Amino acid sequence: MTETVSSSHSDSLNAEQEGYKQSLGRRQVQMIAIGGAIGTGLFLGSASRLHSTGPALVLSYAFVGVIAYLLMRALGELVLHRATSGAFVSWMREFFGEKAAFVTGWMYWLNWALTGIAELSAVAVYVKHWLPDMPSWATVLIALAVVLVVNLLSAKAFGEFEFWASVLKVGAIVVFLVIGLVVVIGQFDIGGHQAGVQNLYENPGGFWPASGDFAWYGPILVMSGVVFAYAAIEMVGVAAGEMADAKTEVPKAVNAVIFRIGVFYCGPILLLVCMLPTSEYTSGTSPFVTVFGRLGLGWMGDVIQAILIVAAMSSLNSGLYTTGRVLRSLGMSKEAPQFTLRMSPQGVPWAGIVLTSVIYVFGAILNAIDPDAFETALEAASIGVVFTWSSIFLCQIRLRQLVGKGVVPASTFQMPGSPWTSYVGLAFLALIIVGMGISGWQSSDEFWHKTNFLVVVFGIPIIAALLTGGWFLVRDKVVANTGGRIGAVWSDTGPTYPSEPKA
């Protein structure tokens, strides 16, 4: 083993964890891992995908699920190398330098800032199912106030909120799985349609529709949307910095991911296509609400509506939690306003959390004024998800390269098939961007309504230009803060910046 990392960089990396409390226990970690990615993408977004894709959507979810599992294995290796609340930002700083950390952190923040605004707006819509006269602005403020208070209390309070939110989401899926299995095996009549596995191939157009409004590449192209249904699965990496026993709990959570994806994502989609023709599912209405309504269980549809509110609130909660910690990691290197460094005695980076919540309020107002203009900004958040997942794969590849050269010790939880499995993940994410462009082009006859296409062709260069300009604005401060040591911590032969002899 070569000489250890320089004291300057060691202090810098370790400083990110100062002030945090390791208060997330096994119960909370397990439910965050299970329920973190179960949200509106499954409960609501799957309807439009079923309608436009057909039964083959099951394969789309399964394949993306495998990529998500590879992502979590890469993440697990990084967490056991060094658990930190800065997560991907901190690892990018360690393996690729300050500029990479700056870009990664702000891309992740952009993703959650825009996603959180959309979730707030969604809560306002969902609440109208129960309280049609409730002003949207009031719903937005109440919802934000609840998750803001939860986040400002402590990491343990966040964990408890996520635990019970996950219990409700997982519970709803389990109830549906039980009812769905009974209905499909018993071949019950659902609103004039007989349930059963025969619907997989008797569905209009067959299992893989390729005629009429369908295209043979539909189930492949839809993966560019399915990947965002799994977004937030990487949140375990951020939470690891505040786990009581990350080295034990993270491997358990990661190893169970493939099973949970199969049960809680692919399972419900498979049952949905076995219960009704996919043409019966319509955008804007939860497919679960549709099924329960046809079964005469309208009250269960109301329960799903309530779960949608819980899912959106859970996403908001996660957005505030992660952005507060990522902003503090950026602030430690002068890459974000120094205001974001402030922490409460309970170990909460409250300043970054408050900053994000202010953006949420302004964004929700913007969405109310001009939802069409905001839709484009929301799609830009998708780029943030792809970038974050890419950064995890890249960091895992670099970590393993350094391990192979004897520069750093091997993680005790290694990704199988490395580096090829990470290369597969990166290739898939590159294809997701291509898929977004193609699906966006096909989505409308009007050029300026081809939202995803515009985001890929114009949005990516604009975001890149803004990040480049932002880096030049903070570069001098970062250089001064690090003494010019803005490169990666490690080179192929050891520390990039060896310790200077003490006077």
Side-chain angles (χ1 to χ4, degrees):
M1 181 64 59
T2 59
E3 67 177 303
T4 58
V5 65
S6 68
S7 59
S8 173
H9 271 86
S10 179
D11 292 343
S12 175
L13 293 173
N14 293 333
E16 295 180 19
Q17 281 302 104
E18 290 181 7
Y20 287 111
K21 312 291 185 184
Q22 278 64 52
S23 56
L24 293 177
R26 172 179 299 180
R27 173 176 60 89
Q28 296 155 328
V29 170
Q30 290 296 322
M31 288 310 293
I32 288 172
I34 296 173
I38 299 177
T40 52
L42 175 63
F43 284 111
L44 187 62
S46 55
S48 60
R49 297 184 187 113
L50 283 164
H51 185 87
S52 64
T53 308
L57 182 67
V58 174
L59 298 182
S60 304
Y61 269 85
F63 185 80
V64 178
V66 171
I67 300 298
Y69 173 68
L70 294 180
L71 175 91
M72 291 300 288
R73 285 302 304 257
L75 184 66
E77 182 168 348
L78 290 163
V79 168
L80 267 72
H81 160 69
R82 185 169 61 85
T84 169
S85 292
F88 356 96
V89 179
S90 187
W91 296 321
M92 287 296 274
R93 176 175 292 121
E94 180 178 357
F95 297 122
F96 297 100
E98 294 291 350
K99 184 176 182 179
F102 171 84
V103 172
T104 301
W106 283 110
M107 283 295 289
Y108 194 63
W109 181 86
L110 175 68
N111 164 43
W112 271 113
L114 295 176
T115 300
I117 293 167
E119 297 289 13
L120 268 178
S121 302
V123 170
V125 173
Y126 300 151
V127 167
K128 287 188 180 297
H129 176 79
W130 308 91
L131 303 169
D133 297 327
M134 183 76 165
S136 295
W137 64 265
T139 304
V140 165
L141 291 179
I142 292 171
L144 181 58
V146 170
V147 294
L148 182 59
V149 168
V150 167
N151 266 275
L152 293 179
L153 285 174
S154 65
K156 187 174 183 178
F158 158 79
E160 280 298 308
F161 186 99
E162 283 304 295
F163 173 82
W164 291 109
S166 294
V167 165
L168 289 173
K169 291 186 288 184
V170 171
I173 296 296
V174 169
V175 169
F176 174 77
L177 290 174
V178 172
I179 294 175
L181 282 171
V182 171
V183 169
V184 171
I185 293 173
Q187 297 195 333
F188 283 63
D189 179 83
I190 306 179
H193 295 281
Q194 185 180 33
V197 293
Q198 72 276 2
N199 285 320
L200 286 171
Y201 50 88
E202 290 180 358
N203 190 77
F207 178 75
W208 192 302
S211 59
D213 294 333
F214 298 97
W216 68 266
Y217 50 79
I220 299 172
L221 199 60
V222 79
M223 291 182 192
S224 63
V226 171
V227 71
F228 306 118
Y230 289 102
I233 198 171
E234 75 285 343
M235 195 181 70
V236 171
V238 179
E242 292 171 274
M243 291 180 188
D245 187 7
K247 290 188 176 181
T248 300
E249 298 307 324
V250 169
K252 289 181 180 179
V254 169
N255 281 329
V257 161
I258 196 70
F259 169 77
R260 289 163 182 165
I261 285 173
V263 172
F264 296 116
Y265 265 93
C266 300
I269 298 297
L270 178 60
L271 287 175
L272 286 169
V273 298
C274 287
M275 295 170 84
L276 285 173
T278 56
S279 57
E280 298 295 312
Y281 301 114
T282 56
S283 178
T285 301
S286 170
F288 301 97
V289 172
T290 299
V291 166
F292 285 127
R294 298 290 178 87
L295 285 170
L297 300 173
W299 62 272
M300 278 300 296
D302 289 339
V303 171
I304 296 298
Q305 290 286 354
I307 296 295
L308 282 170
I309 296 174
V310 171
M313 293 282 283
S314 175
S315 180
L316 276 172
N317 194 43
S318 299
L320 287 180
Y321 176 86
T322 53
T323 54
R325 282 141 183 88
V326 165
L327 284 174
R328 185 170 186 268
S329 180
L330 290 169
M332 293 296 291
S333 291
K334 311 294 184 183
E335 294 163 1
Q338 295 305 284
F339 170 76
T340 59
L341 293 177
R342 299 181 183 180
M343 296 188 76
S344 71
Q346 290 74 36
V348 175
W350 64 268
I353 291 171
V354 169
L355 176 61
T356 302
S357 66
V358 170
I359 300 298
Y360 281 179
V361 172
F362 282 116
I365 293 172
L366 169 64
N367 196 10
I369 295 173
D370 189 2
D372 290 336
F374 180 75
E375 183 181 347
T376 302
L378 178 61
E379 295 298 338
S382 303
I383 304 298
V385 176
V386 172
F387 191 94
T388 298
W389 284 25
S390 298
S391 71
I392 293 171
F393 284 126
L394 286 170
C395 286
Q396 187 278 329
I397 290 171
R398 183 56 179 160
L399 171 60
R400 191 64 71 87
Q401 287 175 346
L402 293 171
V403 169
K405 295 177 185 297
V407 175
V408 296
S411 170
T412 54
F413 184 63
Q414 296 194 340
M415 183 178 185
S418 179
W420 302 109
T421 40
S422 283
Y423 288 142
V424 168
L426 288 172
F428 173 77
L429 293 172
L431 290 175
I432 288 300
I433 298 297
V434 175
M436 286 179 62
I438 296 173
S439 61
W441 179 261
Q442 296 176 343
S443 65
S444 175
D445 292 331
E446 298 182 34
F447 182 78
W448 295 110
H449 285 172
K450 298 177 184 292
T451 307
N452 270 344
F453 174 80
L454 296 174
V455 166
V456 171
V457 175
F458 298 111
I460 291 178
I462 290 172
I463 292 172
L466 290 173
L467 289 172
T468 301
W471 170 249
F472 281 111
L473 285 176
V474 302
R475 187 178 186 279
D476 290 344
K477 293 181 180 179
V478 176
V479 169
N481 181 63
T482 61
R485 301 182 173 193
I486 63 173
V489 171
W490 307 103
S491 70
D492 287 343
T493 57
T496 305
Y497 306 103
S499 299
E500 298 177 359
K502 294 182 180 180

